[in-house]
Amino acid sequence: MSTLSRPVSVYLQGGVAALGAIVVLVSLVGFSLIFSSMPPSESGFAEGLAILLFGLYVLAGFVILAGGLLIPQRDAHGIAFTSQQRTLLTYGLLAPIVGVALVPLGAMFVPPALDPLRPALVVGLGVFLCSGPLATLVAIGLKLRDSRHNETT
């Protein structure tokens, strides 16, 4: 079968998913290089800013990766996911977007009177932001496990 007979969605899925994976990898490598060469500051502002910036890049990379893998495939071309895996990828796409959108809303609407509740909200937001990339990785892992299982049978 020639590569010309493949649908465009195969190339779109592979290209977008690869772009997301590249953004994640370049962001992690860039973070490790910059953070290790950064002189320590007294306030920690520069370190915090580097963590925030590269964290957002990694999160965006995972959103792009999940979005690319969600591009539907037909006729045994590309990577086809089960409904459970597609649900995980959808969660991996939406959870970081909603989590990042909730940060300014939480800062606006959580009154100072709720100071004892604030650490629980920050932990909850952190778990919510991390669960999206984890869901994407679990979906990819399940797909790899299924493909290995199909090769051995």
Side-chain angles (χ1 to χ4, degrees):
M1 177 183 306
S2 74
T3 58
L4 296 176
S5 65
R6 290 186 180 166
V8 173
S9 62
V10 172
Y11 298 110
L12 190 61
Q13 180 190 41
V16 173
L19 175 67
I22 289 169
V23 169
V24 169
L25 291 174
V26 168
S27 299
L28 288 173
V29 168
F31 172 73
S32 65
L33 290 175
I34 287 176
F35 202 71
S36 65
S37 67
M38 184 183 297
S41 66
E42 285 184 26
S43 66
F45 177 77
E47 292 91 347
L49 189 61
I51 290 169
L52 178 68
L53 180 67
F54 282 103
L56 287 175
Y57 280 135
V58 169
L59 205 57
F62 273 109
V63 169
I64 294 168
L65 176 64
L69 292 175
L70 275 171
I71 296 173
Q73 301 299 314
R74 292 178 179 77
D75 303 331
H77 295 292
I79 305 170
F81 290 94
T82 65
S83 63
Q84 176 192 19
Q85 293 163 348
R86 291 186 70 74
T87 302
L88 285 168
L89 288 171
T90 303
Y91 183 81
L93 175 73
L94 295 177
I97 294 171
V98 172
V100 169
L102 287 178
V103 170
L105 290 175
M108 272 183 10
F109 294 115
V110 175
L114 295 177
D115 279 339
L117 186 61
R118 190 160 295 158
L121 292 174
V122 169
V123 168
L125 180 66
V127 167
F128 193 59
L129 287 174
C130 293
S131 65
L134 287 175
T136 302
L137 292 174
V138 166
I140 292 170
L142 288 173
K143 184 62 183 175
L144 289 173
R145 186 191 70 182
D146 290 349
S147 67
R148 281 193 194 144
H149 179 67
N150 291 337
E151 287 176 1
T152 59
T153 57

